[in-house]
Amino acid sequence: MPSIEEAVANKYHVREPDLAQQQEQQHRDFLRQFPRSRWRDLTLDDYALGTESSIDGYSYALEWGTTVLGSIKGGSALKHVIYFKRKTSEWHFPADFDRVGDAWDALHASFLEMLDMADQGRWNDIGQIPILNRAKTVRLKTLFLYFPDQVLPVYSHNHLSYFARELGIEGDTDPLVVNRRILAELRTIEGLESSDTRDLGQFLYEWATPPGWIAARYWKIAPGHNADRWAECLEGGYICVGWDEIGDLSLFDSVEDFRHAFAETYSDHYNGNKSKLTLKARELYQLTEIRAGDKIVANKGVSEVLAVGTVLDSTYQWQPDRPDYRHTIAVDWDESLATRLDPPERSWGTVTIKSVTPKLQTRILNPVAHDPSDEEVEVLPIDPAQEALYRTWMSVLERKKQIIFYGPPGTGKTRAAKGFSQWILNQQYALPDADSDDWMEATYDTSKAWWVTANPERYSWKSMFDDGWVDFSRGEKKKHFSQINTGDVVVCYEAAPTQRIVALARVVSINDDLEDPNPLMLKPIRRLPRGPHWKTIKSDSVLADSEPVQISASGTLFALDPGQFRRILELSGVSDEYLDQPADDIAPYLTQVTFHASYSYEEFIEGYRPVETSGGLALGLRDGIVKRIAATAVAEPDSVYVLLIDEINRANIPRVFGELMTVIEADKRGIPVKLPASGDLLRIPKNLHLIGTMNTADRSIRNLDSALRRRFGFIELLPDVSVLEGAVIDGLELDFFLSEMNTRITNSVGREHQIGQSYFLLDSEPITTAAQFAEIMRMEIIPLLQEIVFDDYSKLADYLGREIVDAANQSLISIEDDGILISALIKAYRVELGDNR
């Protein structure tokens, strides 16, 4: 994150002219519709959501009509205190009132009192109005709209608290108090003293993006059947979709209410199939998630992109005066981005609305550059939704210091843990892509130590500390550059004028391109003000045989063995955990291990294990993985380290963790504990994160040791059928098939035994052929289902259908022929459920 001063210098606090114009116009429209004078006679029908006229009401204007002035969309209508529940045709209002009229009188009077207090500058008294404390978000946005110079257009209490922490100011339980404290603090910063509050709101989100905040996303939306509405969409500057019978999406109290209404409205259309109704309801409701600034890809079929547009300020709008296709979103279209996709995007064939992955974005925006046979690694932008998820996970990890991803098989737990680990490290270091196997897949591996000589005419170790990094060239002698790895440690030697070891650094990025003059990026660890002089190094008995001494440091990069590296630290007067521990290992930033039934404390912490001696094998006291990583992390407090433990529940966790269970807690980090075998002190620093994965089909988290459960944060990953949306195998829709099969499994044996989406993915994309699907069913899914039901073939028939399972004879039929297997599943998941789409 840049400093405040850097952010101001980069003009983060200045809105684009188009956005500023949209915000000003929307603000004028709001004040024209709801001037202060109107509040005196405002009625309940003028205020509330859910009524037939609510599209013209105050609550609707706040939530849907002023989105570019800060969004409060989503969640429940409870934020408005009073609203009409369409499902039950009754008013919702606080239970301490007998009638809705009494509740409205109190709410109306409270709004008037609040506005008067703000007029009088009595901002601290506003929090004393009881009923408005149930409407803190609505209250805050109302105050901004009527007093835009006194309140920031930031309404989320979580976001405000985050900004307050980043600014180093005190938070509060009242978001209005925090909002005004932040505004006051920003007014003290040079360059922001007179900035518009709307500029300052943008500044906060660009300078310190809070966890959970989602940047612009891409959405594919088909403009009618076979794009038959495209001409009117292009001319009118919008995108439109059907499902008109459900009505205005913005009037539903919650997502749950919408799903219930959708199921009732379209039950006959989908013949009561709950899974299909759920999938289609989710597809349509995505319209309410689209925000100003998002991109819409208008498609015709699976190959043609008609245009790509930018969502304007109005976002979702229900247009009751249109003859049909009344769900609309205003879009500024760019036809210059029209293209054809080769190969086609098959997943577009059966869905109207679908999010667009970063990989597909690249194909759409750079069609000429896309070449599936290109041997270069394609670097893709991170999905904004994934970025937001990582930030949410990070807030849990920062609080607990360790988390476990848990869920049924195939839900992507290990992949999530790896991607999250990469994201954590990429916040500080330049590391390889998440799909790169060279650093993500390796189990524990020690980093090597190197000597790097800096010619002061070209490089300065001082500038490395000033800038936070330095690029190095290969030099004339390139012997070792093919052996150096990300995470390796560097001893920094200054050739002139000091002729001393002056610092330690880490390798954080390597470019293998031979044409790159500066392929090596180093990050500083610490200065060594007492580093040994060249004369001392040459005369030292340990270092005399080192490679830099042997060739008089002629070159840039030289290898050091562990003993030589330790000796340099000793001569530098370093007295820290590098030397306190007997191990010669320096841990990499990321270490991955996999637990199993025989995994031991001796491997994890320390213990006696076989070591080679001149007389053969003998037992020797050796450090375990955690001890080595912790030593490096303590020695480098400004660096981040991650220990990823896959299948954490397959080992005897209390025994393997031992003393570690005490010192991993957030408030115990840094406190030493004495190890029984060696007598060494083990401390787990705050910069070491533990991330685990566990399969709930093997063992429920309820069965985990209670001490472990208290110390870890738990993040559940359930099957995500959205990644299979639009994938069809010979007529079988994969998202529907997996969703319905998991519904049957859940109803039968519980949610922990569901089947994950990863089984049907290949290289992160849905499988495309009948042969692939049939092989997965035969070799993976069916054996897993057999295990789930303990070979109870009557239950297995409930999952797969009677044409595949002969329950009476305890046998399987029709599974060897791919086509017959898929046809049987189509019948089982359509005919038996009465789905006649």
Side-chain angles (χ1 to χ4, degrees):
M1 180 190 304
S3 67
I4 286 279
E5 293 74 19
E6 290 172 330
V8 173
N10 288 328
K11 305 295 184 184
Y12 283 11
H13 59 298
V14 179
R15 291 167 292 158
E16 292 293 330
D18 288 348
L19 175 61
Q21 183 178 357
Q22 290 175 19
Q23 290 179 328
E24 289 160 9
Q25 182 62 50
Q26 201 169 81
H27 202 175
R28 285 195 297 269
D29 291 345
F30 170 82
L31 293 175
R32 190 161 40 246
Q33 185 181 9
F34 292 99
R36 280 281 303 277
S37 58
R38 186 178 173 186
W39 265 99
R40 186 182 313 140
D41 301 315
L42 200 72
T43 67
L44 177 57
D45 282 342
D46 293 334
Y47 173 82
L49 288 175
T51 66
E52 292 183 1
S53 60
S54 63
I55 193 170
D56 299 318
Y58 183 79
S59 294
Y60 188 96
L62 244 63
E63 190 156 357
W64 297 91
T66 52
T67 53
V68 293
L69 296 168
S71 175
I72 62 170
K73 287 196 312 179
S76 169
L78 287 170
K79 69 170 78 74
H80 297 283
V81 183
I82 302 174
Y83 61 92
F84 190 71
K85 300 166 68 175
R86 296 200 311 169
K87 184 169 69 175
T88 58
S89 297
E90 60 185 9
W91 286 97
H92 169 88
F93 55 91
D96 43 346
F97 294 94
D98 294 329
R99 298 182 305 112
V100 67
D102 296 338
W104 169 244
D105 289 342
L107 184 62
H108 181 220
S110 295
F111 269 110
L112 291 172
E113 183 182 7
M114 177 189 73
L115 295 172
D116 287 342
M117 285 180 175
D119 266 334
Q120 299 161 19
R122 296 166 53 201
W123 293 93
N124 293 335
D125 294 336
I126 291 175
Q128 305 304 314
I129 304 175
I131 196 170
L132 290 184
N133 285 324
R134 308 179 188 190
K136 290 180 178 179
T137 303
V138 167
R139 180 189 67 180
L140 193 50
K141 186 163 186 180
T142 295
L143 288 169
F144 166 76
L145 290 169
Y146 289 116
F147 302 90
D149 296 331
Q150 301 294 318
V151 178
L152 291 165
V154 180
Y155 317 119
S156 164
H157 197 180
N158 288 337
H159 291 183
L160 288 166
S161 298
Y162 178 79
F163 295 141
R165 287 195 300 271
E166 293 302 318
L167 288 166
I169 61 178
E170 186 180 358
D172 196 273
T173 56
D174 189 334
L176 174 60
V177 173
V178 186
N179 186 298
R180 286 181 49 78
R181 284 176 182 170
I182 293 172
L183 177 58
E185 179 68 19
L186 293 177
R187 293 285 191 221
T188 67
I189 297 171
E190 184 177 357
L192 302 182
E193 303 95 330
S194 58
S195 293
D196 189 296
T197 55
R198 290 166 292 193
D199 287 327
L200 294 177
Q202 173 177 294
F203 168 82
L204 288 170
Y205 281 102
E206 293 196 20
W207 167 63
T209 306
W213 178 251
I214 301 178
R217 297 180 65 182
Y218 278 70
W219 307 84
K220 162 273 200 237
I221 303 181
H225 178 68
N226 201 31
D228 59 2
R229 303 303 173 107
W230 174 237
E232 64 174 272
C233 287
L234 179 62
E235 182 179 354
Y238 56 79
I239 191 72
C240 61
V241 300
W243 287 294
D244 294 334
E245 295 90 339
I246 193 65
D248 189 346
L249 304 183
S250 66
L251 300 182
F252 289 95
D253 303 338
S254 64
V255 177
E256 290 71 25
D257 284 341
F258 169 74
R259 288 175 178 167
H260 177 80
F262 189 93
E264 287 187 342
T265 303
Y266 296 100
S267 181
D268 290 342
H269 187 75
Y270 298 108
N271 211 10
N273 187 309
K274 292 182 179 179
S275 295
K276 194 64 180 178
L277 287 165
T278 298
L279 292 173
K280 285 300 178 183
R282 184 185 64 198
E283 182 182 340
L284 177 59
Y285 205 72
Q286 288 180 120
L287 289 178
T288 67
E289 301 172 17
I290 298 174
R291 307 185 316 163
D294 282 1
K295 303 294 184 179
I296 304 296
V297 178
N299 71 295
K300 180 179 181 180
V302 298
S303 300
E304 189 173 356
V305 172
L306 301 168
V308 177
T310 302
V311 176
L312 300 179
D313 60 299
S314 58
T315 61
Y316 168 80
Q317 292 288 327
W318 169 252
Q319 302 288 351
D321 296 333
R322 288 174 56 85
D324 56 8
Y325 283 72
R326 299 184 179 102
H327 302 288
T328 67
I329 292 176
V331 181
D332 180 17
W333 293 110
D334 182 355
E335 286 189 285
S336 70
L337 296 174
T339 187
R340 292 194 67 84
L341 297 178
D342 184 21
E345 182 58 31
R346 298 295 181 190
S347 66
W348 288 2
T350 58
V351 292
T352 300
I353 307 161
K354 182 176 172 63
S355 62
V356 179
T357 65
K359 186 174 182 179
L360 185 52
Q361 290 173 31
T362 302
R363 290 183 59 200
I364 293 169
L365 300 177
N366 302 287
V368 177
H370 176 71
D371 182 0
S373 64
D374 194 342
E375 294 182 359
E376 293 185 4
V377 176
E378 184 180 17
V379 179
L380 300 173
I382 186 170
D383 189 309
Q386 189 66 57
E387 173 88 14
L389 196 57
Y390 284 160
R391 292 185 181 277
T392 301
W393 294 348
M394 192 65 197
S395 67
V396 179
L397 186 60
E398 287 177 337
R399 179 169 51 87
K400 300 291 289 187
K401 294 302 177 186
Q402 45 272 331
I403 59 174
I404 291 177
F405 293 97
Y406 72 100
T411 52
K413 298 175 292 296
T414 300
R415 181 176 179 82
K418 289 179 179 180
F420 182 43
S421 298
Q422 181 225 1
W423 180 83
I424 293 171
L425 297 175
N426 275 350
Q427 302 306 295
Q428 185 167 344
Y429 321 120
L431 292 174
D433 183 69
D435 293 327
S436 171
D437 291 343
D438 58 345
W439 73 289
M440 293 302 294
E441 298 296 341
T443 54
Y444 180 79
D445 186 16
T446 59
S447 296
K448 295 184 287 293
W450 303 89
W451 168 304
V452 171
T453 298
N455 183 335
E457 295 180 1
R458 300 182 60 191
Y459 301 108
S460 165
W461 293 121
K462 179 181 181 299
S463 69
M464 177 178 70
F465 283 91
D466 292 341
D467 299 337
W469 57 273
V470 66
D471 281 336
F472 253 85
S473 67
R474 288 185 174 84
E476 296 179 2
K477 298 182 180 180
K478 304 177 175 61
K479 173 182 175 183
H480 292 307
F481 274 89
S482 62
Q483 302 171 29
I484 200 165
N485 291 307
T486 299
D488 285 355
V489 179
V490 167
V491 171
C492 307
Y493 177 72
E494 190 171 69
T498 62
Q499 291 187 300
R500 289 184 179 276
I501 300 290
V502 298
L504 295 177
R506 280 271 193 172
V507 179
V508 293
S509 180
I510 303 167
N511 190 338
D512 293 329
D513 184 359
L514 294 177
E515 302 300 322
D516 188 341
N518 297 298
L520 201 65
M521 179 183 285
L522 305 181
K523 166 191 171 293
I525 295 175
R526 64 173 59 187
R527 291 183 172 91
L528 298 177
R530 295 169 53 195
H533 190 274
W534 177 250
K535 292 180 180 179
T536 302
I537 295 169
K538 284 199 304 180
S539 61
D540 185 82
S541 59
V542 175
L543 297 176
D545 294 331
S546 67
E547 187 177 44
V549 172
Q550 287 295 306
I551 58 175
S552 300
S554 176
T556 302
L557 182 67
F558 308 93
L560 294 172
D561 67 34
Q564 294 164 352
F565 172 69
R566 297 280 166 179
R567 182 58 180 159
I568 288 173
L569 293 183
E570 289 173 351
L571 293 174
S572 301
V574 175
S575 177
D576 60 22
E577 283 68 16
Y578 279 140
L579 300 178
D580 290 344
Q581 304 291 354
D584 288 331
D585 302 327
I586 301 170
Y589 292 129
L590 174 72
T591 300
Q592 180 184 345
V593 298
T594 301
F595 276 7
H596 48 79
S598 60
Y599 200 87
S600 66
Y601 172 91
E602 289 73 20
E603 293 174 272
F604 202 54
I605 309 295
E606 70 170 12
Y608 288 92
R609 287 182 285 163
V611 294
E612 290 188 17
T613 67
S614 57
L617 289 178
L619 287 179
L621 183 59
R622 297 182 60 187
D623 290 339
I625 289 172
V626 168
K627 190 175 177 184
R628 288 179 280 180
I629 301 171
T632 305
V634 169
E636 300 180 24
D638 294 329
S639 297
V640 176
Y641 290 83
V642 178
L643 173 58
L644 199 165
I645 308 171
D646 209 12
E647 305 284 2
I648 191 171
N649 58 312
R650 295 183 70 85
N652 184 333
I653 301 176
R655 185 188 184 286
V656 171
F657 271 63
E659 297 84 5
L660 189 64
M661 199 72 79
T662 302
V663 292
I664 61 174
E665 287 190 84
D667 60 349
K668 304 292 193 306
R669 291 295 183 102
I671 298 176
V673 60
K674 190 172 184 178
L675 299 177
S678 66
D680 290 339
L681 296 178
L682 173 67
R683 55 173 61 89
I684 305 299
K686 292 183 178 180
N687 58 321
L688 172 57
H689 298 306
L690 275 63
I691 299 177
T693 70
M694 65 170 285
N695 189 335
T696 54
D698 297 329
R699 187 182 187 188
S700 168
I701 63 170
R702 293 188 297 271
N703 298 323
L704 288 179
D705 182 84
S706 59
L708 182 80
R709 291 205 307 271
R710 289 197 305 272
R711 287 161 171 80
F712 276 77
F714 286 85
I715 296 173
E716 186 175 29
L717 297 182
L718 290 173
D720 178 14
V721 299
S722 66
V723 298
L724 302 175
E725 194 174 59
V728 181
I729 304 292
D730 287 2
L732 183 66
E733 298 169 72
L734 289 186
D735 60 341
F736 165 64
F737 168 68
L738 182 58
S739 177
E740 180 57 32
M741 182 167 61
N742 280 332
T743 297
R744 299 181 184 191
I745 292 172
T746 299
N747 293 338
S748 174
V749 293
R751 67 203 298 263
E752 294 172 339
H753 293 279
Q754 295 179 81
I755 306 298
Q757 71 281 355
S758 298
Y759 285 99
F760 299 105
L761 298 176
L762 181 64
D763 296 330
S764 304
E765 296 291 330
I767 57 174
T768 57
T769 69
Q772 290 171 329
F773 175 82
E775 181 177 336
I776 291 167
M777 288 299 300
R778 285 192 291 263
M779 303 300 178
E780 299 180 67
I781 304 299
I782 291 176
L784 189 57
L785 294 176
Q786 288 174 310
E787 181 181 344
I788 288 173
V789 300
F790 300 103
D791 285 330
D792 182 340
Y793 278 71
S794 61
K795 285 187 177 179
L796 189 62
D798 292 337
Y799 300 155
L800 299 173
R802 306 296 168 179
E803 291 195 4
I804 294 177
V805 180
D806 183 348
N809 293 310
Q810 300 284 288
S811 63
L812 298 171
I813 52 179
S814 304
I815 69 169
E816 296 305 322
D817 184 282
D818 299 350
I820 293 176
L821 172 62
I822 294 173
S823 296
L825 287 173
I826 289 174
K827 184 175 181 181
Y829 280 78
R830 282 187 177 178
V831 173
E832 292 183 6
L833 293 169
D835 187 358
N836 58 0
R837 290 164 296 160

